[in-house]
Amino acid sequence: MTKRWVIAKPEPALAQTLARELHLAVPLAQVLVNRGYRDTESAAQFLSPQLRQLGDPFDLPDMAAAVDRILAAIEKKERIVIYGDYDVDGVTSSALLQRVLQAAGATVANFLPHRMDEGYGLSADGVVRCLKEHKPQLLIAVDCGTSSAHEIADLKKHKVDTIVLDHHEPPQDLPQCVALVNPKRVGDSPLGALASVGVSFKLAHALLKRDRQLSERIDLREHLDLVAVGTVADIVPLTGENRILVKAGLERLPHTQKIGLRALMDIADVPDKVSPYHIGFRIGPRLNAAGRLSDAMAALELMLTANAPRAKELAMLLDTHNAERQHIEKLIADEAIAMARTNESDRVLVLAKDGWHVGVIGIVASRVLQVFYKPTVIIGIEEGTGKGSCRSVTGFSIVGALQHCAPLLERFGGHEMAAGFSVKASKIDELRRELNAFAAKELKDEDLSRRERIDAVVTLDDLDADFFEQLERLEPCGPDNPTPVFMIEGVRLRGAPRVVGKNHLRFNVTDGDTVAQAIWWGMGDFKFPDGPFDVAFTPELNEYRGVESVQLKVKDVRKSL
């Protein structure tokens, strides 16, 4: 699919000032300008995130009430149950809270719903089993609960107090609980982007601030590894406090004292220098696989165990689940993509089938979106009920679209870019029509055009050792702080391109003086334009037999204008 190149407007005077004051290459200073860091102070803070820059945890709504209730439960030896979600954010949140609360002297247990039997979050069926198995006096819902007014009211009837630690969009009518600690309640607060594991970390910080004796027994820095894993895996913006927490957590991961996390990193072949990529594509999928195909408690046990043989056993189990998940996902994705080709006139792809495994439909939705670049809804149907997972494109709120279709749905929730719901199978066709009618009004043609956002124009000579050293200061990259993309103009091929691996294209380019090698994944069939061309790329250092060389990781190529 043809991409529209969107090149950031250069601001040479400002970029040169920042470059001089921060000792950066000018193109990298331009990246900071593009990200909104237009003065030396904010740019310097961005480049050097420190834990001391974290804000007061009591700035979050209801935090004081949550802390008071938890400290009272600890003092009275009440039974506390942490009710989590089955994804990575929910599992890491639950593990962090259990470790901290146990260290604080709490009587605490964990509960995760079963995806197939009890559905998402604080569900009625999940609550029934939780009450039966644990008889909680205080229930702490993490990564769920914001939209569970009915279930929380039912818990209250059973004389169970509820605290919610969540980051999902709050509905108009909030649940009546002891505390709803959700940064989304604060509007445009800098804390609004926290994952639930970040909210859990803030709660732990607040507990230590309120009770100084706890701070002498608990070092929260030890749990930043969990915060990094949950935050990156939940694909929240890597800016503000998330950036601070993730950078600190990435530095701790290679030295983690958590036996289970270490075992998982070993089986996933994670190197000593951990990046968001390793969490997103190696650690996260294995932790998620347990909840997708079986029981997420295996992932949670792995994050909590102190038994090395058990940790190895669990890590191998999750690795096996992940391989199985990949196989199932590919089968469903192939079917969904074929189905989508018969509905290509739709602006929102709504694809449904009996028997599609609801544990992988979210990943399938992402894969279909990558092929067609349209908001995508994948629905697995079982016994007359469909469970759907949605992924969207920038500029179109999928949870807003579901809100428009709320009368057709049993329940729904999520974010602008990702959401989930339940629907009666008999209403799926009507849902497809309503979503497309809504998209016809709200989804612009330009929203369906892939864009290649380019930060700055560079020359091959710019890509020297200093450039790469300074480029690392922009890490960790992710949502809202993407890996910088640069552009080189008017280069030509040096030698013949060759196809390597699974249809990847390797070639050399030259500007007449300097030569650089390039790799373009999955584009072995590409035909280069005649004459000079421009390359959009991310720069990387490629090491082969101990020798480092510059490599352009190609995003797109176009004929020079």
Side-chain angles (χ1 to χ4, degrees), residues 111-167:
F111 179 91
L112 297 178
H114 194 286
R115 183 190 292 260
M116 308 306 164
D117 300 332
E118 294 157 346
Y120 164 79
L122 198 60
S123 66
D125 290 339
V127 166
V128 167
R129 181 164 67 89
C130 181
L131 288 170
K132 182 179 179 181
E133 291 183 2
H134 295 290
K135 297 179 174 56
Q137 292 165 286
L138 173 62
L139 185 141
I140 304 175
V142 292
D143 199 28
C144 59
T146 296
S147 299
S148 303
H150 178 77
E151 290 77 10
I152 289 172
D154 193 49
L155 283 164
K156 194 171 184 179
K157 290 177 185 175
H158 287 84
K159 301 188 184 323
V160 180
D161 285 343
T162 304
I163 292 170
V164 173
L165 308 178
D166 198 7
H167 70 135

Side-chain angles (χ1 to χ4, degrees), residues 48-164:
S48 302
Q50 304 291 326
L51 289 173
R52 64 174 178 268
Q53 297 166 1
L54 293 174
D56 187 343
F58 288 100
D59 288 343
L60 284 169
D62 290 355
M63 182 63 85
V67 168
D68 290 344
R69 183 63 185 87
I70 290 171
L71 290 176
I74 293 173
E75 184 178 350
K76 296 175 186 176
K77 302 293 184 186
E78 291 181 314
R79 291 184 300 278
I80 302 174
V81 172
I82 301 165
Y83 187 118
D85 189 28
Y86 39 63
D87 69 0
V88 181
D89 189 20
V91 166
T92 52
S93 299
S94 298
L96 186 154
L97 280 179
Q98 177 150 341
R99 285 176 175 273
V100 169
L101 293 180
Q102 279 184 334
T107 303
V108 60
N110 255 302
F111 179 91
L112 297 178
H114 194 286
R115 183 190 292 260
M116 308 306 164
D117 300 332
E118 294 157 346
Y120 164 79
L122 198 60
S123 66
D125 290 339
V127 166
V128 167
R129 181 164 67 89
C130 181
L131 288 170
K132 182 179 179 181
E133 291 183 2
H134 295 290
K135 297 179 174 56
Q137 292 165 286
L138 173 62
L139 185 141
I140 304 175
V142 292
D143 199 28
C144 59
T146 296
S147 299
S148 303
H150 178 77
E151 290 77 10
I152 289 172
D154 193 49
L155 283 164
K156 194 171 184 179
K157 290 177 185 175
H158 287 84
K159 301 188 184 323
V160 180
D161 285 343
T162 304
I163 292 170
V164 173

